[in-house]
Short mmCIF file of all heavy atoms in Angstrom, two decimals:
data_model
loop_
_atom_site.label_atom_id
_atom_site.label_comp_id
_atom_site.label_asym_id
_atom_site.label_seq_id
_atom_site.Cartn_x
_atom_site.Cartn_y
_atom_site.Cartn_z
N MET Z 1 0.85 -1.15 -0.02
CA MET Z 1 -0.02 -0.02 0.01
C MET Z 1 0.93 1.22 -0.01
O MET Z 1 1.94 1.26 0.59
CB MET Z 1 -0.87 0.02 1.20
CG MET Z 1 -1.79 1.21 1.34
SD MET Z 1 -2.77 1.36 2.77
CE MET Z 1 -3.81 0.09 2.64
N TYR Z 2 0.47 2.22 -0.69
CA TYR Z 2 1.17 3.53 -0.70
C TYR Z 2 0.44 4.58 0.23
O TYR Z 2 -0.78 4.40 0.50
CB TYR Z 2 1.22 4.06 -2.15
CG TYR Z 2 2.02 3.32 -3.09
CD1 TYR Z 2 1.48 2.26 -3.87
CD2 TYR Z 2 3.43 3.52 -3.18
CE1 TYR Z 2 2.30 1.46 -4.73
CE2 TYR Z 2 4.24 2.74 -4.03
CZ TYR Z 2 3.63 1.77 -4.88
OH TYR Z 2 4.39 1.03 -5.66
N GLU Z 3 1.19 5.46 0.61
CA GLU Z 3 0.67 6.46 1.52
C GLU Z 3 0.96 7.90 0.92
O GLU Z 3 1.97 8.14 0.32
CB GLU Z 3 1.31 6.34 2.92
CG GLU Z 3 1.02 7.40 3.89
CD GLU Z 3 1.75 7.28 5.19
OE1 GLU Z 3 2.41 6.17 5.38
OE2 GLU Z 3 1.84 8.13 5.93
N MET Z 4 -0.03 8.75 1.11
CA MET Z 4 0.19 10.14 0.64
C MET Z 4 0.44 10.95 1.92
O MET Z 4 -0.17 10.89 2.94
CB MET Z 4 -1.17 10.75 0.00
CG MET Z 4 -1.61 10.02 -1.25
SD MET Z 4 -0.61 10.40 -2.67
CE MET Z 4 -0.84 12.17 -2.92
N ARG Z 5 1.48 11.81 1.73
CA ARG Z 5 1.89 12.70 2.87
C ARG Z 5 2.20 14.12 2.21
O ARG Z 5 2.73 14.28 1.19
CB ARG Z 5 3.10 12.20 3.60
CG ARG Z 5 2.82 10.83 4.21
CD ARG Z 5 3.35 10.69 5.63
NE ARG Z 5 4.40 11.45 6.13
CZ ARG Z 5 5.59 10.99 6.30
NH1 ARG Z 5 5.96 9.75 6.09
NH2 ARG Z 5 6.50 11.83 6.75
N ALA Z 6 1.81 15.14 3.01
CA ALA Z 6 1.96 16.48 2.54
C ALA Z 6 3.32 17.10 3.19
O ALA Z 6 3.66 16.73 4.29
CB ALA Z 6 0.81 17.36 3.00
N GLU Z 7 3.81 17.97 2.48
CA GLU Z 7 5.10 18.70 2.86
C GLU Z 7 4.84 20.21 2.58
O GLU Z 7 4.35 20.53 1.47
CB GLU Z 7 6.24 18.18 2.05
CG GLU Z 7 7.46 18.94 2.24
CD GLU Z 7 8.48 18.49 1.21
OE1 GLU Z 7 8.36 18.41 0.00
OE2 GLU Z 7 9.60 17.98 1.79
N SER Z 8 5.13 21.07 3.58
CA SER Z 8 5.00 22.48 3.34
C SER Z 8 6.21 22.96 2.50
O SER Z 8 7.34 22.48 2.65
CB SER Z 8 5.09 23.21 4.68
OG SER Z 8 3.87 22.87 5.46
N THR Z 9 5.98 23.94 1.65
CA THR Z 9 7.02 24.62 0.91
C THR Z 9 7.78 25.52 1.98
O THR Z 9 7.39 25.73 3.05
CB THR Z 9 6.53 25.45 -0.23
OG1 THR Z 9 5.50 26.35 0.26
CG2 THR Z 9 5.82 24.62 -1.34
N ASP Z 10 8.97 25.96 1.53
CA ASP Z 10 9.82 26.83 2.38
C ASP Z 10 9.04 28.04 2.92
O ASP Z 10 9.22 28.45 3.98
CB ASP Z 10 11.09 27.28 1.70
CG ASP Z 10 12.04 25.99 1.46
OD1 ASP Z 10 11.99 25.06 2.25
OD2 ASP Z 10 12.86 26.08 0.57
N ASP Z 11 8.20 28.60 2.06
CA ASP Z 11 7.56 29.83 2.51
C ASP Z 11 6.18 29.53 3.24
O ASP Z 11 5.54 30.37 3.70
CB ASP Z 11 7.28 30.79 1.29
CG ASP Z 11 6.40 30.16 0.30
OD1 ASP Z 11 5.82 29.02 0.41
OD2 ASP Z 11 6.27 30.74 -0.75
N ARG Z 12 5.94 28.20 3.36
CA ARG Z 12 4.75 27.71 4.09
C ARG Z 12 3.41 28.15 3.54
O ARG Z 12 2.41 28.19 4.21
CB ARG Z 12 4.87 27.99 5.62
CG ARG Z 12 6.06 27.33 6.23
CD ARG Z 12 6.19 27.62 7.66
NE ARG Z 12 4.88 27.37 8.33
CZ ARG Z 12 4.67 27.68 9.58
NH1 ARG Z 12 5.59 28.24 10.31
NH2 ARG Z 12 3.43 27.38 10.20
N CYS Z 13 3.43 28.60 2.31
CA CYS Z 13 2.10 29.02 1.63
C CYS Z 13 1.47 27.94 0.84
O CYS Z 13 0.43 28.12 0.17
CB CYS Z 13 2.33 30.29 0.79
SG CYS Z 13 2.75 31.69 1.81
N GLU Z 14 2.20 26.81 0.71
CA GLU Z 14 1.58 25.68 -0.24
C GLU Z 14 2.00 24.35 0.42
O GLU Z 14 3.04 24.24 0.96
CB GLU Z 14 2.32 25.88 -1.56
CG GLU Z 14 1.80 24.83 -2.53
CD GLU Z 14 2.47 25.09 -3.91
OE1 GLU Z 14 3.71 25.37 -4.01
OE2 GLU Z 14 1.68 24.95 -4.91
N LEU Z 15 1.02 23.42 0.20
CA LEU Z 15 1.35 22.09 0.60
C LEU Z 15 1.47 21.29 -0.66
O LEU Z 15 0.65 21.34 -1.70
CB LEU Z 15 0.18 21.47 1.41
CG LEU Z 15 0.01 22.02 2.83
CD1 LEU Z 15 -1.25 21.41 3.49
CD2 LEU Z 15 1.21 21.71 3.74
N ILE Z 16 2.52 20.40 -0.71
CA ILE Z 16 2.72 19.47 -1.83
C ILE Z 16 2.62 18.06 -1.34
O ILE Z 16 3.17 17.61 -0.40
CB ILE Z 16 4.22 19.64 -2.45
CG1 ILE Z 16 4.41 21.12 -2.86
CG2 ILE Z 16 4.44 18.74 -3.53
CD1 ILE Z 16 5.77 21.47 -3.22
N TRP Z 17 1.73 17.34 -2.00
CA TRP Z 17 1.42 15.94 -1.60
C TRP Z 17 2.33 15.06 -2.42
O TRP Z 17 2.43 15.08 -3.57
CB TRP Z 17 -0.07 15.65 -1.89
CG TRP Z 17 -0.99 16.31 -0.95
CD1 TRP Z 17 -1.52 17.50 -1.07
CD2 TRP Z 17 -1.42 15.80 0.31
NE1 TRP Z 17 -2.27 17.82 0.02
CE2 TRP Z 17 -2.25 16.76 0.87
CE3 TRP Z 17 -1.16 14.63 1.04
CZ2 TRP Z 17 -2.86 16.59 2.15
CZ3 TRP Z 17 -1.75 14.41 2.22
CH2 TRP Z 17 -2.58 15.40 2.81
N HIS Z 18 3.02 14.12 -1.55
CA HIS Z 18 3.93 13.18 -2.11
C HIS Z 18 3.36 11.79 -1.88
O HIS Z 18 2.59 11.54 -0.96
CB HIS Z 18 5.28 13.29 -1.48
CG HIS Z 18 6.04 14.51 -1.76
ND1 HIS Z 18 6.77 14.65 -2.88
CD2 HIS Z 18 6.16 15.62 -1.09
CE1 HIS Z 18 7.32 15.84 -2.92
NE2 HIS Z 18 6.94 16.54 -1.80
N VAL Z 19 3.85 10.79 -2.75
CA VAL Z 19 3.50 9.44 -2.49
C VAL Z 19 4.72 8.80 -1.87
O VAL Z 19 5.83 8.87 -2.35
CB VAL Z 19 3.14 8.71 -3.83
CG1 VAL Z 19 2.83 7.27 -3.54
CG2 VAL Z 19 1.99 9.36 -4.56
N VAL Z 20 4.52 8.20 -0.66
CA VAL Z 20 5.61 7.57 0.10
C VAL Z 20 5.78 6.16 -0.43
O VAL Z 20 4.83 5.40 -0.67
CB VAL Z 20 5.34 7.53 1.62
CG1 VAL Z 20 6.46 6.83 2.40
CG2 VAL Z 20 5.19 9.01 2.13
N ALA Z 21 7.03 5.81 -0.77
CA ALA Z 21 7.35 4.40 -1.27
C ALA Z 21 6.97 3.38 -0.23
O ALA Z 21 7.06 3.57 0.86
CB ALA Z 21 8.77 4.32 -1.68
N LYS Z 22 6.56 2.20 -0.78
CA LYS Z 22 6.13 1.13 0.13
C LYS Z 22 7.22 0.63 0.92
O LYS Z 22 6.97 0.19 2.02
CB LYS Z 22 5.59 -0.05 -0.76
CG LYS Z 22 4.26 0.31 -1.47
CD LYS Z 22 3.58 -0.84 -2.03
CE LYS Z 22 4.34 -1.76 -2.98
NZ LYS Z 22 3.44 -2.83 -3.58
N ASP Z 23 8.43 0.58 0.50
CA ASP Z 23 9.53 -0.10 1.13
C ASP Z 23 10.39 0.85 2.02
O ASP Z 23 11.40 0.51 2.54
CB ASP Z 23 10.47 -0.76 0.17
CG ASP Z 23 11.00 0.14 -0.86
OD1 ASP Z 23 10.41 1.23 -1.02
OD2 ASP Z 23 11.93 -0.26 -1.64
N THR Z 24 9.89 2.07 2.27
CA THR Z 24 10.64 3.04 3.07
C THR Z 24 9.73 3.69 4.03
O THR Z 24 8.50 3.65 3.84
CB THR Z 24 11.36 4.14 2.24
OG1 THR Z 24 10.35 4.92 1.66
CG2 THR Z 24 12.26 3.47 1.12
N ILE Z 25 10.20 4.29 5.04
CA ILE Z 25 9.41 5.08 6.01
C ILE Z 25 9.24 6.50 5.47
O ILE Z 25 8.12 7.00 5.64
CB ILE Z 25 10.14 5.11 7.38
CG1 ILE Z 25 10.27 3.72 7.95
CG2 ILE Z 25 9.36 6.07 8.25
CD1 ILE Z 25 11.09 3.71 9.22
N ALA Z 26 10.10 7.06 4.88
CA ALA Z 26 9.98 8.47 4.38
C ALA Z 26 10.41 8.80 3.03
O ALA Z 26 10.46 9.88 2.65
CB ALA Z 26 10.79 9.32 5.37
N GLY Z 27 10.89 7.78 2.26
CA GLY Z 27 11.24 7.96 0.87
C GLY Z 27 10.07 8.11 -0.08
O GLY Z 27 9.10 7.32 -0.04
N THR Z 28 10.07 9.12 -0.86
CA THR Z 28 9.02 9.39 -1.73
C THR Z 28 9.24 8.82 -3.12
O THR Z 28 10.46 8.52 -3.50
CB THR Z 28 8.73 10.85 -1.88
OG1 THR Z 28 9.85 11.47 -2.44
CG2 THR Z 28 8.42 11.49 -0.58
N LEU Z 29 8.23 8.60 -3.92
CA LEU Z 29 8.47 8.04 -5.22
C LEU Z 29 9.18 8.94 -6.21
O LEU Z 29 9.81 8.44 -7.14
CB LEU Z 29 7.04 7.69 -5.91
CG LEU Z 29 6.37 6.57 -5.22
CD1 LEU Z 29 5.08 6.22 -6.07
CD2 LEU Z 29 7.17 5.34 -5.06
N CYS Z 30 9.22 10.20 -5.84
CA CYS Z 30 10.02 11.18 -6.64
C CYS Z 30 11.48 11.25 -6.29
O CYS Z 30 12.31 11.94 -6.89
CB CYS Z 30 9.40 12.63 -6.57
SG CYS Z 30 9.59 13.32 -4.94
N GLY Z 31 11.79 10.46 -5.23
CA GLY Z 31 13.24 10.39 -4.80
C GLY Z 31 13.57 11.31 -3.59
O GLY Z 31 14.68 11.38 -3.09
N GLY Z 32 12.56 12.06 -3.11
CA GLY Z 32 12.69 12.94 -1.94
C GLY Z 32 12.65 12.17 -0.66
O GLY Z 32 12.35 11.00 -0.73
N HIS Z 33 12.87 12.80 0.42
CA HIS Z 33 12.72 12.21 1.72
C HIS Z 33 11.86 13.21 2.64
O HIS Z 33 12.15 14.41 2.66
CB HIS Z 33 14.10 11.95 2.35
CG HIS Z 33 14.86 10.98 1.63
ND1 HIS Z 33 14.57 9.56 1.76
CD2 HIS Z 33 15.83 11.07 0.73
CE1 HIS Z 33 15.47 8.81 1.00
NE2 HIS Z 33 16.22 9.74 0.36
N LEU Z 34 10.96 12.58 3.39
CA LEU Z 34 10.17 13.38 4.30
C LEU Z 34 10.58 12.97 5.74
O LEU Z 34 11.06 11.83 5.93
CB LEU Z 34 8.64 13.11 4.11
CG LEU Z 34 8.11 13.38 2.74
CD1 LEU Z 34 6.75 12.95 2.60
CD2 LEU Z 34 8.24 14.86 2.44
N ALA Z 35 10.38 13.88 6.62
CA ALA Z 35 10.56 13.46 8.09
C ALA Z 35 9.65 12.35 8.37
O ALA Z 35 8.45 12.37 8.00
CB ALA Z 35 10.35 14.69 8.95
N PRO Z 36 10.16 11.31 9.00
CA PRO Z 36 9.27 10.17 9.43
C PRO Z 36 7.99 10.62 10.17
O PRO Z 36 8.18 11.28 11.22
CB PRO Z 36 10.14 9.25 10.24
CG PRO Z 36 11.42 9.57 9.84
CD PRO Z 36 11.41 11.08 9.55
N ARG Z 37 6.84 10.30 9.70
CA ARG Z 37 5.56 10.61 10.40
C ARG Z 37 5.46 12.07 10.86
O ARG Z 37 4.78 12.35 11.81
CB ARG Z 37 5.31 9.64 11.56
CG ARG Z 37 5.28 8.22 11.18
CD ARG Z 37 3.95 7.88 10.57
NE ARG Z 37 3.95 6.49 10.15
CZ ARG Z 37 3.32 5.98 9.13
NH1 ARG Z 37 2.70 6.79 8.32
NH2 ARG Z 37 3.28 4.74 8.90
N ALA Z 38 6.07 12.98 10.17
CA ALA Z 38 5.98 14.37 10.55
C ALA Z 38 4.67 14.92 10.09
O ALA Z 38 4.27 14.54 8.98
CB ALA Z 38 7.19 15.18 10.00
N THR Z 39 4.10 15.81 10.83
CA THR Z 39 2.94 16.53 10.42
C THR Z 39 3.46 17.85 9.74
O THR Z 39 4.30 18.53 10.28
CB THR Z 39 2.04 16.90 11.58
OG1 THR Z 39 1.69 15.73 12.30
CG2 THR Z 39 0.77 17.72 11.20
N PRO Z 40 2.95 18.09 8.57
CA PRO Z 40 3.45 19.31 7.92
C PRO Z 40 3.12 20.58 8.62
O PRO Z 40 2.21 20.61 9.39
CB PRO Z 40 2.79 19.24 6.60
CG PRO Z 40 1.55 18.51 6.73
CD PRO Z 40 1.92 17.44 7.82
N ASP Z 41 4.04 21.51 8.59
CA ASP Z 41 3.74 22.89 9.19
C ASP Z 41 2.54 23.44 8.69
O ASP Z 41 2.14 23.29 7.55
CB ASP Z 41 4.93 23.88 8.88
CG ASP Z 41 6.28 23.36 9.64
OD1 ASP Z 41 6.13 22.74 10.62
OD2 ASP Z 41 7.28 23.77 9.11
N GLU Z 42 1.80 24.14 9.53
CA GLU Z 42 0.55 24.76 9.08
C GLU Z 42 0.82 25.82 8.17
O GLU Z 42 1.78 26.59 8.38
CB GLU Z 42 -0.13 25.32 10.29
CG GLU Z 42 -1.63 25.64 10.18
CD GLU Z 42 -2.45 24.51 9.81
OE1 GLU Z 42 -2.17 23.46 10.31
OE2 GLU Z 42 -3.42 24.65 9.08
N PRO Z 43 0.15 25.94 6.99
CA PRO Z 43 0.38 26.95 5.98
C PRO Z 43 0.28 28.38 6.69
O PRO Z 43 -0.62 28.52 7.58
CB PRO Z 43 -0.65 26.75 5.01
CG PRO Z 43 -1.07 25.39 5.16
CD PRO Z 43 -0.96 24.96 6.47
N ALA Z 44 1.02 29.28 6.19
CA ALA Z 44 0.95 30.63 6.83
C ALA Z 44 -0.27 31.36 6.50
O ALA Z 44 -0.61 32.29 7.29
CB ALA Z 44 2.15 31.44 6.26
N VAL Z 45 -0.94 31.05 5.46
CA VAL Z 45 -2.27 31.73 5.14
C VAL Z 45 -3.32 30.68 5.01
O VAL Z 45 -3.04 29.49 4.75
CB VAL Z 45 -2.21 32.47 3.82
CG1 VAL Z 45 -1.22 33.60 3.95
CG2 VAL Z 45 -1.73 31.54 2.73
N THR Z 46 -4.52 31.07 5.35
CA THR Z 46 -5.67 30.14 5.39
C THR Z 46 -6.01 29.67 3.95
O THR Z 46 -6.64 28.60 3.73
CB THR Z 46 -6.88 30.69 6.08
OG1 THR Z 46 -7.21 31.92 5.47
CG2 THR Z 46 -6.63 30.92 7.52
N ALA Z 47 -5.76 30.50 3.00
CA ALA Z 47 -6.16 30.11 1.53
C ALA Z 47 -4.97 29.54 0.79
O ALA Z 47 -4.78 29.67 -0.33
CB ALA Z 47 -6.68 31.44 0.87
N ALA Z 48 -4.08 28.79 1.59
CA ALA Z 48 -2.93 28.16 0.97
C ALA Z 48 -3.39 27.17 -0.06
O ALA Z 48 -4.44 26.59 0.07
CB ALA Z 48 -2.12 27.41 1.92
N THR Z 49 -2.60 27.04 -1.11
CA THR Z 49 -2.91 26.10 -2.17
C THR Z 49 -2.27 24.72 -1.86
O THR Z 49 -1.37 24.62 -1.06
CB THR Z 49 -2.30 26.60 -3.47
OG1 THR Z 49 -0.90 26.69 -3.39
CG2 THR Z 49 -2.94 27.91 -3.88
N GLU Z 50 -2.83 23.72 -2.49
CA GLU Z 50 -2.25 22.42 -2.35
C GLU Z 50 -2.10 21.79 -3.70
O GLU Z 50 -2.91 22.12 -4.63
CB GLU Z 50 -3.17 21.54 -1.59
CG GLU Z 50 -3.35 21.87 -0.09
CD GLU Z 50 -4.34 20.92 0.70
OE1 GLU Z 50 -4.25 19.73 0.42
OE2 GLU Z 50 -4.98 21.40 1.55
N ARG Z 51 -1.12 21.00 -3.92
CA ARG Z 51 -0.97 20.36 -5.18
C ARG Z 51 -0.26 18.97 -5.05
O ARG Z 51 0.29 18.75 -3.91
CB ARG Z 51 -0.22 21.20 -6.18
CG ARG Z 51 1.24 21.42 -5.82
CD ARG Z 51 2.01 22.44 -6.78
NE ARG Z 51 3.26 22.71 -6.35
CZ ARG Z 51 4.44 22.07 -6.72
NH1 ARG Z 51 4.29 20.95 -7.43
NH2 ARG Z 51 5.59 22.50 -6.24
N TYR Z 52 -0.33 18.14 -5.98
CA TYR Z 52 0.36 16.91 -5.96
C TYR Z 52 1.63 17.00 -6.65
O TYR Z 52 1.86 17.78 -7.55
CB TYR Z 52 -0.53 15.85 -6.71
CG TYR Z 52 -1.79 15.53 -6.04
CD1 TYR Z 52 -2.98 16.09 -6.52
CD2 TYR Z 52 -1.86 14.73 -4.97
CE1 TYR Z 52 -4.21 15.85 -5.88
CE2 TYR Z 52 -3.05 14.47 -4.31
CZ TYR Z 52 -4.30 14.95 -4.84
OH TYR Z 52 -5.43 14.74 -4.07
N CYS Z 53 2.62 16.28 -6.20
CA CYS Z 53 3.99 16.19 -6.79
C CYS Z 53 3.87 15.43 -8.10
O CYS Z 53 3.49 14.30 -8.13
CB CYS Z 53 4.95 15.53 -5.78
SG CYS Z 53 6.53 15.17 -6.54
N ASP Z 54 4.08 16.07 -9.25
CA ASP Z 54 3.97 15.48 -10.53
C ASP Z 54 4.87 14.30 -10.67
O ASP Z 54 4.38 13.25 -11.21
CB ASP Z 54 4.19 16.49 -11.58
CG ASP Z 54 3.11 17.55 -11.74
OD1 ASP Z 54 1.95 17.28 -11.37
OD2 ASP Z 54 3.46 18.71 -12.19
N PRO Z 55 6.15 14.31 -10.34
CA PRO Z 55 6.94 13.09 -10.52
C PRO Z 55 6.42 11.87 -9.67
O PRO Z 55 6.49 10.79 -10.06
CB PRO Z 55 8.35 13.64 -9.98
CG PRO Z 55 8.35 15.02 -10.24
CD PRO Z 55 6.95 15.43 -9.97
N CYS Z 56 5.93 12.23 -8.41
CA CYS Z 56 5.35 11.05 -7.54
C CYS Z 56 4.19 10.49 -8.28
O CYS Z 56 3.98 9.26 -8.27
CB CYS Z 56 4.98 11.66 -6.20
SG CYS Z 56 6.31 11.77 -4.99
N MET Z 57 3.29 11.38 -8.82
CA MET Z 57 2.06 10.89 -9.40
C MET Z 57 2.41 9.97 -10.69
O MET Z 57 1.74 9.03 -10.89
CB MET Z 57 1.14 11.98 -9.60
CG MET Z 57 0.61 12.74 -8.39
SD MET Z 57 0.03 11.65 -7.10
CE MET Z 57 -1.40 10.98 -7.88
N ALA Z 58 3.38 10.52 -11.43
CA ALA Z 58 3.77 9.70 -12.63
C ALA Z 58 4.30 8.32 -12.24
O ALA Z 58 3.95 7.28 -12.84
CB ALA Z 58 4.85 10.52 -13.47
N ALA Z 59 5.16 8.30 -11.18
CA ALA Z 59 5.73 7.04 -10.72
C ALA Z 59 4.64 6.12 -10.16
O ALA Z 59 4.68 4.92 -10.37
CB ALA Z 59 6.83 7.30 -9.67
N PHE Z 60 3.70 6.69 -9.53
CA PHE Z 60 2.61 5.94 -8.90
C PHE Z 60 1.76 5.39 -10.10
O PHE Z 60 1.40 4.16 -9.98
CB PHE Z 60 1.73 6.71 -8.01
CG PHE Z 60 0.54 6.08 -7.45
CD1 PHE Z 60 0.74 4.95 -6.52
CD2 PHE Z 60 -0.68 6.31 -7.84
CE1 PHE Z 60 -0.31 4.28 -5.99
CE2 PHE Z 60 -1.81 5.68 -7.31
CZ PHE Z 60 -1.65 4.59 -6.37
N GLY Z 61 1.49 6.14 -11.08
CA GLY Z 61 0.83 5.57 -12.25
C GLY Z 61 1.46 4.39 -12.92
O GLY Z 61 0.84 3.53 -13.28
N THR Z 62 2.80 4.51 -13.04
CA THR Z 62 3.54 3.46 -13.60
C THR Z 62 3.53 2.22 -12.75
O THR Z 62 3.32 1.16 -13.33
CB THR Z 62 5.00 3.91 -13.79
OG1 THR Z 62 4.99 4.99 -14.72
CG2 THR Z 62 5.84 2.88 -14.38
N ALA Z 63 3.64 2.32 -11.47
CA ALA Z 63 3.52 1.29 -10.54
C ALA Z 63 2.18 0.52 -10.59
O ALA Z 63 2.06 -0.65 -10.58
CB ALA Z 63 3.84 1.71 -9.10
N LEU Z 64 1.14 1.37 -10.65
CA LEU Z 64 -0.28 0.89 -10.64
C LEU Z 64 -0.47 0.10 -11.96
O LEU Z 64 -1.12 -0.97 -11.92
CB LEU Z 64 -1.16 2.05 -10.48
CG LEU Z 64 -2.66 1.64 -10.28
CD1 LEU Z 64 -2.77 0.79 -9.01
CD2 LEU Z 64 -3.52 2.92 -10.18
N GLN Z 65 -0.01 0.63 -13.04
CA GLN Z 65 -0.14 -0.04 -14.41
C GLN Z 65 0.57 -1.39 -14.39
O GLN Z 65 0.10 -2.34 -14.88
CB GLN Z 65 0.35 0.80 -15.51
CG GLN Z 65 0.08 0.28 -16.85
CD GLN Z 65 -1.44 0.05 -17.13
OE1 GLN Z 65 -2.24 0.95 -16.96
NE2 GLN Z 65 -1.83 -1.19 -17.49
N ALA Z 66 1.75 -1.32 -13.78
CA ALA Z 66 2.64 -2.61 -13.76
C ALA Z 66 1.90 -3.64 -12.89
O ALA Z 66 1.83 -4.92 -13.24
CB ALA Z 66 3.97 -2.33 -13.15
N TRP Z 67 1.25 -3.22 -11.73
CA TRP Z 67 0.52 -4.09 -11.01
C TRP Z 67 -0.75 -4.70 -11.70
O TRP Z 67 -0.96 -5.90 -11.65
CB TRP Z 67 0.00 -3.43 -9.61
CG TRP Z 67 -0.87 -4.24 -8.88
CD1 TRP Z 67 -0.57 -5.30 -7.91
CD2 TRP Z 67 -2.30 -4.25 -8.83
NE1 TRP Z 67 -1.64 -5.86 -7.42
CE2 TRP Z 67 -2.71 -5.28 -7.91
CE3 TRP Z 67 -3.21 -3.47 -9.48
CZ2 TRP Z 67 -4.05 -5.47 -7.63
CZ3 TRP Z 67 -4.58 -3.65 -9.25
CH2 TRP Z 67 -5.01 -4.64 -8.33
N ALA Z 68 -1.42 -3.83 -12.38
CA ALA Z 68 -2.59 -4.19 -13.23
C ALA Z 68 -2.22 -5.26 -14.29
O ALA Z 68 -2.90 -6.22 -14.50
CB ALA Z 68 -3.30 -3.01 -13.89
N ASP Z 69 -1.06 -4.97 -14.87
CA ASP Z 69 -0.64 -5.94 -15.94
C ASP Z 69 -0.30 -7.26 -15.48
O ASP Z 69 -0.61 -8.31 -16.14
CB ASP Z 69 0.60 -5.37 -16.66
CG ASP Z 69 0.31 -4.10 -17.53
OD1 ASP Z 69 -0.97 -3.74 -17.77
OD2 ASP Z 69 1.17 -3.41 -17.82
N THR Z 70 0.15 -7.41 -14.25
CA THR Z 70 0.51 -8.73 -13.67
C THR Z 70 -0.62 -9.38 -13.00
O THR Z 70 -0.61 -10.51 -12.69
CB THR Z 70 1.76 -8.61 -12.71
OG1 THR Z 70 1.39 -7.73 -11.60
CG2 THR Z 70 2.98 -8.13 -13.36
N SER Z 71 -1.67 -8.64 -12.67
CA SER Z 71 -2.85 -9.06 -11.88
C SER Z 71 -3.97 -9.59 -12.87
O SER Z 71 -4.86 -10.25 -12.38
CB SER Z 71 -3.40 -7.97 -10.95
OG SER Z 71 -2.44 -7.69 -10.00
N ARG Z 72 -3.88 -9.29 -14.10
CA ARG Z 72 -4.94 -9.64 -15.08
C ARG Z 72 -4.96 -11.17 -15.26
O ARG Z 72 -3.85 -11.69 -15.40
CB ARG Z 72 -4.72 -9.01 -16.43
CG ARG Z 72 -5.30 -7.74 -16.53
CD ARG Z 72 -5.31 -7.15 -17.94
NE ARG Z 72 -5.21 -5.73 -17.82
CZ ARG Z 72 -4.41 -4.98 -18.51
NH1 ARG Z 72 -3.55 -5.39 -19.35
NH2 ARG Z 72 -4.38 -3.70 -18.18
N PRO Z 73 -6.11 -11.76 -15.34
CA PRO Z 73 -6.12 -13.17 -15.57
C PRO Z 73 -5.64 -13.40 -17.03
O PRO Z 73 -5.82 -12.59 -17.95
CB PRO Z 73 -7.65 -13.54 -15.48
CG PRO Z 73 -8.34 -12.44 -14.94
CD PRO Z 73 -7.36 -11.19 -15.02
N LYS Z 74 -4.92 -14.50 -17.14
CA LYS Z 74 -4.44 -14.87 -18.47
C LYS Z 74 -5.47 -15.27 -19.47
O LYS Z 74 -6.42 -15.91 -18.98
CB LYS Z 74 -3.28 -15.87 -18.41
CG LYS Z 74 -2.16 -15.70 -17.49
CD LYS Z 74 -1.31 -14.46 -18.15
CE LYS Z 74 -0.15 -14.25 -17.18
NZ LYS Z 74 0.36 -12.92 -17.24
N ASP Z 75 -5.37 -14.87 -20.67
CA ASP Z 75 -6.40 -15.29 -21.66
C ASP Z 75 -6.23 -16.72 -22.02
O ASP Z 75 -5.14 -17.21 -22.45
CB ASP Z 75 -6.24 -14.40 -22.87
CG ASP Z 75 -7.34 -14.57 -23.91
OD1 ASP Z 75 -8.32 -15.27 -23.58
OD2 ASP Z 75 -7.26 -14.00 -25.08
N PRO Z 76 -7.32 -17.62 -21.86
CA PRO Z 76 -7.15 -19.04 -22.07
C PRO Z 76 -7.01 -19.40 -23.49
O PRO Z 76 -6.99 -20.55 -23.88
CB PRO Z 76 -8.48 -19.60 -21.40
CG PRO Z 76 -9.43 -18.45 -21.41
CD PRO Z 76 -8.60 -17.21 -21.36
N ALA Z 77 -6.98 -18.50 -24.43
CA ALA Z 77 -6.96 -18.84 -25.81
C ALA Z 77 -5.72 -19.50 -26.22
O ALA Z 77 -4.81 -19.80 -25.89
CB ALA Z 77 -7.08 -17.47 -26.67
#
């Protein structure tokens, strides 16, 4: 199972959501590292934006497709 975790940007006005790799505590699919089980700092403004990490989402899509390809029943033809 994969886990999504948010990280505050340096200016704390934005949260970026990463996908944490299955085999690590804090390694993300984009190659970054998050503090283990850390709660992100509260954004400095209430209207802060949030976004997904594009490299994490691309890697997750690839992993999900690979799982789907190996999980499909074989065609008995």
Side-chain angles (χ1 to χ4, degrees):
M1 178 186 292
Y2 292 92
E3 177 184 344
M4 297 287 299
R5 296 223 341 249
E7 168 185 64
S8 294
T9 56
D10 289 337
D11 61 7
R12 297 180 52 187
C13 291
E14 182 178 41
L15 290 177
I16 302 173
W17 287 90
H18 293 277
V19 180
V20 178
K22 293 193 304 186
D23 57 348
T24 68
I25 296 172
T28 62
L29 294 185
C30 67
H33 293 281
L34 302 174
R37 300 280 181 218
T39 303
D41 293 332
E42 195 63 33
V45 293
T46 56
T49 58
E50 295 183 34
R51 65 181 175 90
Y52 295 101
C53 171
D54 290 334
C56 277
M57 297 311 295
F60 179 69
T62 300
L64 190 59
Q65 185 62 53
W67 174 82
D69 291 345
T70 59
S71 298
R72 273 188 209 133
K74 301 293 182 207
D75 188 6

